[in-house]
Amino acid sequence: MVMLLQDRHTTGPNGVAPGAVRVAGRTLQPTPVFDSYWRFASARQAVYEARLADRPQPWTRDPILTQYRFTNCYRAADRVSQSLISGVIYQGSQEWDEVFFRTLLFKIFNKDSTWHLLNRELGEVRWDAYDYRAYDEVLSAAFAKSERLYSAAYIVPPPQLGEERKHRNHLRLLEMMMTTGAPDRVMDATTMREVYEVMLCYPALGPFLAYQFTIDLNYASQMPFSEMDFVMPGPGARDGIRKCFGRRADGIEAEVIRYMADTQEQHFTRLELPFHGLKGRPLQLIDCQNLFCEVDKYARVAHPEIAGISGRSRIKQSYRLDTKPVRAWFPPKWGLNA
């Protein structure tokens, strides 16, 4: 059973609080949220492992974790990522153009029901059989029935590509990517940052979404990059970093995230926290980035006196039990699937 996060002291095993840390040539003084970051990671991962093992509730004694919704420590373990990996990327043709098309089509809407709708109405979703009018007809009919096409998790801003409806402009955006050689340029990239830069050059894909889509594409077998290669902090992560380190961390957020990934074992040990990773896989840059987003939310309740950047003071989403079995199937190249 996971210990209540705020029941544990903010000092290490010898009663010594974490001292200043050096990142990118700067001295940063951690706030109490810094230790909450590691405690949250340990507790949230324990909840995931308990659910995966089908253990009965309660999975945690922490009232904040019990009351509010938080994502998993590992991005790839979250429900939508699991749908993408097991049900989209590795299902169907493994030709790169098709994998790229399926991945980006799924992620633009980021919603299982929209993906299943398209496959049910159109047959197998394929770029070599793509027909804009057919896709628009299916999506417009669903929209007319007030069906939600998009996830609320994050939404791709609609590019201005001449269409009236958001989904139509998004279809045009995907067409643009496919017909201007984005799959080939991604495949020719020699670093993850180069993939990110390909994504970034398309309308409506700012730094946050370009990085998220890069991570999604990198789940595919064709993509060779480590998740430790590159990170692009999003707005939520910047909020969490501010709460952990104050204004001294402004402008070096990527280096702070790398510090967290590089020193994770040291801090879990210092705080005597159990953390076994994802079947032994340590937290990667993308996971440490996401954890800053989640700790930003957690700190709104646990540390309301410590300000971030956005000024948000409430956690919007309450926890609701999902009775569906927890899936755990990861890119085979990671070697985690029994």
Side-chain angles (χ1 to χ4, degrees):
M1 188 174 295
V2 184
M3 293 297 292
L4 184 70
L5 298 195
Q6 50 268 48
D7 277 352
R8 302 289 297 275
H9 297 298
T10 58
T11 56
N14 299 317
V16 179
V21 301
R22 292 284 291 175
V23 180
R26 297 186 195 176
T27 300
L28 306 180
Q29 185 62 54
T31 74
V33 182
F34 177 73
D35 279 357
S36 287
Y37 179 101
W38 303 110
R39 294 195 175 95
F40 176 91
S42 174
R44 185 64 185 85
Q45 182 65 9
V47 171
Y48 170 74
E49 291 168 355
R51 292 198 63 198
L52 198 59
D54 200 25
R55 293 201 287 270
Q57 294 195 64
W59 300 313
T60 178
R61 291 179 178 175
D62 185 276
I64 303 175
L65 283 175
T66 300
Q67 183 175 353
Y68 298 103
R69 180 185 179 277
F70 296 94
T71 64
N72 285 306
C73 294
Y74 288 85
R75 182 185 189 271
D78 274 330
R79 181 183 58 80
V80 174
S81 292
Q82 281 291 296
S83 295
L84 172 68
I85 295 166
S86 62
V88 178
I89 292 176
Y90 288 91
Q91 292 293 322
S93 168
Q94 291 302 293
E95 293 180 13
W96 176 239
D97 275 9
E98 298 294 346
V99 173
F100 185 100
F101 175 71
R102 290 198 306 270
T103 301
L104 270 295
L105 178 64
F106 178 89
K107 289 303 296 183
I108 282 171
F109 296 97
N110 208 36
K111 195 168 180 63
D112 279 347
S113 58
T114 301
W115 174 254
H116 293 310
L117 170 70
L118 290 170
N119 278 272
R120 184 172 64 249
E121 296 298 323
L122 300 172
E124 183 183 3
V125 167
R126 294 182 61 93
W127 168 242
D128 63 11
Y130 173 78
D131 181 335
Y132 167 83
R133 289 174 296 181
Y135 279 62
D136 174 43
E137 183 178 335
V138 171
L139 295 171
S140 292
F143 179 81
K145 292 187 288 186
S146 299
E147 295 180 15
R148 288 183 58 186
L149 300 179
Y150 295 87
S151 165
Y154 58 81
I155 297 175
V156 183
Q160 301 303 309
L161 296 176
E163 302 292 345
E164 293 181 1
R165 296 287 185 195
K166 180 166 64 175
H167 72 264
R168 292 172 182 165
N169 280 302
H170 281 146
L171 291 176
R172 294 299 190 196
L173 172 62
L174 185 53
E175 285 180 5
M176 177 189 293
M177 298 177 81
M178 296 301 299
T179 57
T180 57
D184 289 341
R185 284 187 287 145
V186 165
M187 184 54 62
D188 290 341
T190 58
T191 65
M192 183 183 281
R193 186 176 191 109
E194 288 181 14
V195 176
Y196 162 80
E197 289 170 352
V198 172
M199 296 291 102
L200 191 60
C201 74
Y202 285 94
L205 301 187
F208 174 74
L209 285 171
Y211 176 60
Q212 296 296 317
F213 286 178
T214 296
I215 293 295
D216 293 319
L217 290 168
N218 196 52
Y219 291 143
S221 62
Q222 294 90 340
M223 302 302 293
F225 306 113
S226 165
E227 291 191 329
M228 290 296 290
D229 282 359
F230 171 68
V231 67
M232 179 56 62
R238 293 178 190 276
D239 250 328
I241 291 169
R242 171 71 68 81
K243 289 181 179 180
C244 284
F245 295 105
R247 293 179 181 273
R248 285 282 294 165
D250 290 1
I252 58 167
E253 289 88 353
E255 291 86 349
V256 168
I257 292 169
R258 186 169 292 278
Y259 167 82
M260 304 297 272
D262 288 345
T263 62
Q264 58 188 283
E265 185 175 350
Q266 168 191 330
H267 290 294
F268 286 128
T269 299
R270 173 178 64 83
L271 294 166
E272 299 179 319
L273 295 169
F275 191 86
H276 308 295
L278 184 67
K279 302 183 179 182
R281 179 181 174 88
L283 294 166
Q284 306 291 294
L285 293 177
I286 179 62
D287 307 313
C288 291
Q289 196 269 169
N290 282 7
L291 277 168
F292 272 121
C293 300
E294 299 308 293
V295 169
D296 164 50
K297 292 190 294 185
Y298 184 88
R300 295 173 198 173
V301 177
H303 305 283
E305 73 285 359
I306 298 179
I309 299 170
S310 67
R312 294 173 181 165
S313 59
R314 296 187 305 109
I315 305 175
K316 291 183 179 179
Q317 291 186 302
S318 296
Y319 175 73
R320 290 183 297 175
L321 177 63
D322 185 348
T323 58
K324 297 176 184 176
V326 177
R327 288 189 286 187
W329 195 86
F330 302 97
K333 61 187 178 180
W334 291 1
L336 302 183
N337 301 320

Short mmCIF file of all heavy atoms in Angstrom, two decimals, residues 108-140:
data_model
loop_
_atom_site.label_atom_id
_atom_site.label_comp_id
_atom_site.label_asym_id
_atom_site.label_seq_id
_atom_site.Cartn_x
_atom_site.Cartn_y
_atom_site.Cartn_z
N ILE A 108 -3.96 13.46 -33.93
CA ILE A 108 -4.61 14.75 -34.16
C ILE A 108 -5.93 14.80 -33.38
O ILE A 108 -6.27 15.82 -32.78
CB ILE A 108 -4.82 14.99 -35.66
CG1 ILE A 108 -3.49 15.43 -36.30
CG2 ILE A 108 -5.91 16.03 -35.91
CD1 ILE A 108 -3.53 15.50 -37.81
N PHE A 109 -6.66 13.69 -33.38
CA PHE A 109 -7.92 13.64 -32.62
C PHE A 109 -7.69 13.12 -31.19
O PHE A 109 -8.42 13.50 -30.28
CB PHE A 109 -8.93 12.77 -33.36
CG PHE A 109 -9.32 13.33 -34.69
CD1 PHE A 109 -8.72 12.88 -35.86
CD2 PHE A 109 -10.27 14.33 -34.79
CE1 PHE A 109 -9.07 13.41 -37.10
CE2 PHE A 109 -10.63 14.88 -36.02
CZ PHE A 109 -10.01 14.41 -37.18
N ASN A 110 -6.72 12.22 -31.05
CA ASN A 110 -6.29 11.72 -29.73
C ASN A 110 -7.43 11.07 -28.97
O ASN A 110 -7.50 11.14 -27.74
CB ASN A 110 -5.70 12.87 -28.91
CG ASN A 110 -4.67 12.40 -27.89
OD1 ASN A 110 -3.93 11.46 -28.16
ND2 ASN A 110 -4.63 13.04 -26.74
N LYS A 111 -8.33 10.42 -29.71
CA LYS A 111 -9.52 9.85 -29.08
C LYS A 111 -9.84 8.49 -29.71
O LYS A 111 -10.02 8.37 -30.93
CB LYS A 111 -10.70 10.81 -29.26
CG LYS A 111 -11.90 10.51 -28.37
CD LYS A 111 -12.88 11.66 -28.40
CE LYS A 111 -14.09 11.38 -27.51
NZ LYS A 111 -13.72 11.25 -26.09
N ASP A 112 -9.91 7.47 -28.84
CA ASP A 112 -10.17 6.11 -29.32
C ASP A 112 -11.43 6.03 -30.17
O ASP A 112 -11.45 5.37 -31.22
CB ASP A 112 -10.33 5.16 -28.13
CG ASP A 112 -9.01 4.71 -27.55
OD1 ASP A 112 -7.97 4.92 -28.20
OD2 ASP A 112 -9.02 4.15 -26.44
N SER A 113 -12.51 6.66 -29.71
CA SER A 113 -13.80 6.49 -30.39
C SER A 113 -13.75 7.06 -31.81
O SER A 113 -14.39 6.51 -32.72
CB SER A 113 -14.92 7.16 -29.59
OG SER A 113 -14.65 8.54 -29.40
N THR A 114 -12.99 8.12 -32.02
CA THR A 114 -12.87 8.69 -33.37
C THR A 114 -12.10 7.73 -34.27
O THR A 114 -12.45 7.52 -35.43
CB THR A 114 -12.18 10.06 -33.32
OG1 THR A 114 -12.96 10.93 -32.50
CG2 THR A 114 -12.06 10.67 -34.71
N TRP A 115 -11.03 7.15 -33.74
CA TRP A 115 -10.27 6.18 -34.52
C TRP A 115 -11.13 4.97 -34.89
O TRP A 115 -11.13 4.52 -36.04
CB TRP A 115 -9.05 5.73 -33.70
CG TRP A 115 -8.26 4.63 -34.33
CD1 TRP A 115 -8.22 3.32 -33.97
CD2 TRP A 115 -7.39 4.77 -35.47
NE1 TRP A 115 -7.39 2.62 -34.80
CE2 TRP A 115 -6.86 3.48 -35.73
CE3 TRP A 115 -7.02 5.83 -36.28
CZ2 TRP A 115 -5.97 3.24 -36.77
CZ3 TRP A 115 -6.13 5.59 -37.31
CH2 TRP A 115 -5.62 4.31 -37.56
N HIS A 116 -11.88 4.45 -33.93
CA HIS A 116 -12.72 3.29 -34.22
C HIS A 116 -13.84 3.65 -35.19
O HIS A 116 -14.23 2.83 -36.04
CB HIS A 116 -13.29 2.72 -32.92
CG HIS A 116 -12.25 2.12 -32.03
ND1 HIS A 116 -11.32 1.21 -32.47
CD2 HIS A 116 -11.98 2.32 -30.71
CE1 HIS A 116 -10.52 0.86 -31.48
NE2 HIS A 116 -10.91 1.52 -30.39
N LEU A 117 -14.37 4.86 -35.08
CA LEU A 117 -15.40 5.32 -36.01
C LEU A 117 -14.88 5.30 -37.45
O LEU A 117 -15.56 4.78 -38.36
CB LEU A 117 -15.85 6.73 -35.63
CG LEU A 117 -16.75 7.46 -36.64
CD1 LEU A 117 -18.13 6.81 -36.67
CD2 LEU A 117 -16.87 8.95 -36.27
N LEU A 118 -13.71 5.85 -37.67
CA LEU A 118 -13.16 5.90 -39.02
C LEU A 118 -12.91 4.50 -39.57
O LEU A 118 -13.21 4.21 -40.74
CB LEU A 118 -11.86 6.71 -39.02
CG LEU A 118 -12.01 8.22 -38.81
CD1 LEU A 118 -10.66 8.87 -38.57
CD2 LEU A 118 -12.71 8.87 -40.00
N ASN A 119 -12.39 3.62 -38.73
CA ASN A 119 -12.13 2.25 -39.20
C ASN A 119 -13.43 1.49 -39.46
O ASN A 119 -13.51 0.70 -40.40
CB ASN A 119 -11.28 1.51 -38.16
CG ASN A 119 -9.80 1.83 -38.29
OD1 ASN A 119 -9.07 1.18 -39.04
ND2 ASN A 119 -9.36 2.84 -37.56
N ARG A 120 -14.44 1.74 -38.64
CA ARG A 120 -15.71 1.05 -38.81
C ARG A 120 -16.41 1.49 -40.08
O ARG A 120 -16.97 0.68 -40.83
CB ARG A 120 -16.60 1.31 -37.59
CG ARG A 120 -17.92 0.55 -37.62
CD ARG A 120 -18.67 0.71 -36.31
NE ARG A 120 -19.06 2.09 -36.04
CZ ARG A 120 -18.55 2.84 -35.09
NH1 ARG A 120 -17.57 2.39 -34.31
NH2 ARG A 120 -18.98 4.08 -34.90
N GLU A 121 -16.37 2.78 -40.36
CA GLU A 121 -17.11 3.32 -41.50
C GLU A 121 -16.34 3.24 -42.81
O GLU A 121 -16.95 3.16 -43.88
CB GLU A 121 -17.48 4.78 -41.21
CG GLU A 121 -18.42 4.97 -40.03
CD GLU A 121 -19.76 4.30 -40.25
OE1 GLU A 121 -20.26 4.31 -41.40
OE2 GLU A 121 -20.32 3.74 -39.28
N LEU A 122 -15.02 3.27 -42.73
CA LEU A 122 -14.21 3.34 -43.95
C LEU A 122 -13.42 2.07 -44.23
O LEU A 122 -12.77 1.97 -45.28
CB LEU A 122 -13.24 4.53 -43.86
CG LEU A 122 -13.89 5.90 -43.70
CD1 LEU A 122 -12.82 6.95 -43.42
CD2 LEU A 122 -14.69 6.27 -44.94
N GLY A 123 -13.46 1.12 -43.32
CA GLY A 123 -12.58 -0.03 -43.46
C GLY A 123 -11.22 0.33 -42.93
O GLY A 123 -11.04 1.31 -42.20
N GLU A 124 -10.20 -0.44 -43.25
CA GLU A 124 -8.86 -0.18 -42.75
C GLU A 124 -8.38 1.21 -43.17
O GLU A 124 -8.45 1.58 -44.34
CB GLU A 124 -7.89 -1.23 -43.27
CG GLU A 124 -6.48 -1.07 -42.73
CD GLU A 124 -5.51 -2.08 -43.31
OE1 GLU A 124 -5.93 -2.89 -44.19
OE2 GLU A 124 -4.33 -2.06 -42.92
N VAL A 125 -7.92 1.97 -42.18
CA VAL A 125 -7.41 3.31 -42.46
C VAL A 125 -6.05 3.19 -43.11
O VAL A 125 -5.11 2.65 -42.53
CB VAL A 125 -7.33 4.13 -41.15
CG1 VAL A 125 -6.51 5.39 -41.36
CG2 VAL A 125 -8.72 4.46 -40.64
N ARG A 126 -5.95 3.70 -44.35
CA ARG A 126 -4.69 3.60 -45.11
C ARG A 126 -4.48 4.88 -45.91
O ARG A 126 -5.43 5.43 -46.50
CB ARG A 126 -4.71 2.41 -46.08
CG ARG A 126 -4.75 1.04 -45.43
CD ARG A 126 -4.70 -0.05 -46.50
NE ARG A 126 -3.48 0.02 -47.28
CZ ARG A 126 -2.36 -0.67 -47.00
NH1 ARG A 126 -2.32 -1.46 -45.95
NH2 ARG A 126 -1.29 -0.55 -47.77
N TRP A 127 -3.22 5.30 -45.98
CA TRP A 127 -2.89 6.46 -46.79
C TRP A 127 -3.07 6.16 -48.27
O TRP A 127 -3.54 7.01 -49.04
CB TRP A 127 -1.46 6.92 -46.51
CG TRP A 127 -0.95 7.93 -47.50
CD1 TRP A 127 0.10 7.79 -48.35
CD2 TRP A 127 -1.50 9.24 -47.75
NE1 TRP A 127 0.26 8.93 -49.12
CE2 TRP A 127 -0.71 9.84 -48.75
CE3 TRP A 127 -2.56 9.95 -47.21
CZ2 TRP A 127 -0.96 11.12 -49.24
CZ3 TRP A 127 -2.83 11.23 -47.69
CH2 TRP A 127 -2.03 11.80 -48.70
N ASP A 128 -2.72 4.96 -48.71
CA ASP A 128 -2.82 4.66 -50.15
C ASP A 128 -4.25 4.54 -50.63
O ASP A 128 -4.50 4.44 -51.84
CB ASP A 128 -2.00 3.42 -50.52
CG ASP A 128 -2.49 2.14 -49.86
OD1 ASP A 128 -3.58 2.13 -49.25
OD2 ASP A 128 -1.76 1.13 -49.91
N ALA A 129 -5.23 4.57 -49.71
CA ALA A 129 -6.65 4.56 -50.09
C ALA A 129 -7.36 5.80 -49.56
O ALA A 129 -8.60 5.85 -49.58
CB ALA A 129 -7.32 3.29 -49.55
N TYR A 130 -6.60 6.79 -49.12
CA TYR A 130 -7.18 7.97 -48.48
C TYR A 130 -8.04 8.78 -49.46
O TYR A 130 -7.65 9.03 -50.60
CB TYR A 130 -6.07 8.85 -47.93
CG TYR A 130 -6.54 10.18 -47.38
CD1 TYR A 130 -7.15 10.26 -46.13
CD2 TYR A 130 -6.38 11.35 -48.12
CE1 TYR A 130 -7.57 11.48 -45.62
CE2 TYR A 130 -6.80 12.58 -47.61
CZ TYR A 130 -7.40 12.63 -46.37
OH TYR A 130 -7.82 13.84 -45.87
N ASP A 131 -9.21 9.19 -48.99
CA ASP A 131 -10.13 10.04 -49.76
C ASP A 131 -10.67 11.10 -48.80
O ASP A 131 -11.43 10.79 -47.89
CB ASP A 131 -11.27 9.18 -50.33
CG ASP A 131 -12.25 9.99 -51.18
OD1 ASP A 131 -12.37 11.22 -50.98
OD2 ASP A 131 -12.92 9.39 -52.04
N TYR A 132 -10.25 12.34 -49.02
CA TYR A 132 -10.65 13.43 -48.12
C TYR A 132 -12.16 13.48 -47.94
O TYR A 132 -12.67 13.63 -46.83
CB TYR A 132 -10.13 14.76 -48.65
CG TYR A 132 -10.73 15.96 -47.97
CD1 TYR A 132 -10.23 16.42 -46.76
CD2 TYR A 132 -11.84 16.62 -48.52
CE1 TYR A 132 -10.80 17.51 -46.11
CE2 TYR A 132 -12.42 17.71 -47.88
CZ TYR A 132 -11.90 18.13 -46.68
OH TYR A 132 -12.48 19.21 -46.04
N ARG A 133 -12.90 13.37 -49.04
CA ARG A 133 -14.36 13.51 -48.96
C ARG A 133 -14.98 12.42 -48.09
O ARG A 133 -15.92 12.67 -47.34
CB ARG A 133 -14.96 13.50 -50.36
CG ARG A 133 -14.66 14.77 -51.16
CD ARG A 133 -15.14 14.64 -52.59
NE ARG A 133 -14.42 13.56 -53.30
CZ ARG A 133 -14.62 13.25 -54.57
NH1 ARG A 133 -15.55 13.89 -55.27
NH2 ARG A 133 -13.92 12.29 -55.13
N ALA A 134 -14.46 11.21 -48.22
CA ALA A 134 -15.00 10.11 -47.41
C ALA A 134 -14.74 10.32 -45.93
O ALA A 134 -15.62 10.12 -45.08
CB ALA A 134 -14.40 8.79 -47.87
N TYR A 135 -13.53 10.75 -45.60
CA TYR A 135 -13.19 11.00 -44.19
C TYR A 135 -14.03 12.15 -43.64
O TYR A 135 -14.54 12.08 -42.52
CB TYR A 135 -11.69 11.32 -44.06
CG TYR A 135 -10.79 10.11 -44.05
CD1 TYR A 135 -10.72 9.24 -45.13
CD2 TYR A 135 -10.00 9.83 -42.94
CE1 TYR A 135 -9.90 8.13 -45.13
CE2 TYR A 135 -9.16 8.72 -42.92
CZ TYR A 135 -9.12 7.87 -44.01
OH TYR A 135 -8.30 6.77 -44.00
N ASP A 136 -14.16 13.20 -44.43
CA ASP A 136 -14.95 14.34 -43.98
C ASP A 136 -16.41 13.96 -43.78
O ASP A 136 -17.05 14.39 -42.82
CB ASP A 136 -14.84 15.48 -45.00
CG ASP A 136 -15.76 16.64 -44.67
OD1 ASP A 136 -15.84 17.03 -43.48
OD2 ASP A 136 -16.43 17.16 -45.59
N GLU A 137 -16.93 13.13 -44.65
CA GLU A 137 -18.33 12.73 -44.53
C GLU A 137 -18.58 12.00 -43.22
O GLU A 137 -19.56 12.27 -42.51
CB GLU A 137 -18.71 11.83 -45.71
CG GLU A 137 -20.17 11.40 -45.72
CD GLU A 137 -20.52 10.55 -46.93
OE1 GLU A 137 -19.84 10.67 -47.97
OE2 GLU A 137 -21.49 9.76 -46.83
N VAL A 138 -17.68 11.09 -42.85
CA VAL A 138 -17.83 10.34 -41.61
C VAL A 138 -17.73 11.27 -40.40
O VAL A 138 -18.55 11.23 -39.48
CB VAL A 138 -16.77 9.22 -41.53
CG1 VAL A 138 -16.78 8.57 -40.14
CG2 VAL A 138 -17.02 8.17 -42.60
N LEU A 139 -16.73 12.13 -40.41
CA LEU A 139 -16.51 13.01 -39.26
C LEU A 139 -17.59 14.08 -39.15
O LEU A 139 -18.03 14.42 -38.06
CB LEU A 139 -15.12 13.65 -39.37
CG LEU A 139 -13.95 12.67 -39.27
CD1 LEU A 139 -12.63 13.37 -39.60
CD2 LEU A 139 -13.87 12.03 -37.88
N SER A 140 -18.03 14.59 -40.29
CA SER A 140 -19.09 15.61 -40.26
C SER A 140 -20.40 15.03 -39.75
O SER A 140 -21.15 15.69 -39.03
CB SER A 140 -19.29 16.21 -41.66
OG SER A 140 -18.16 16.97 -42.04
#
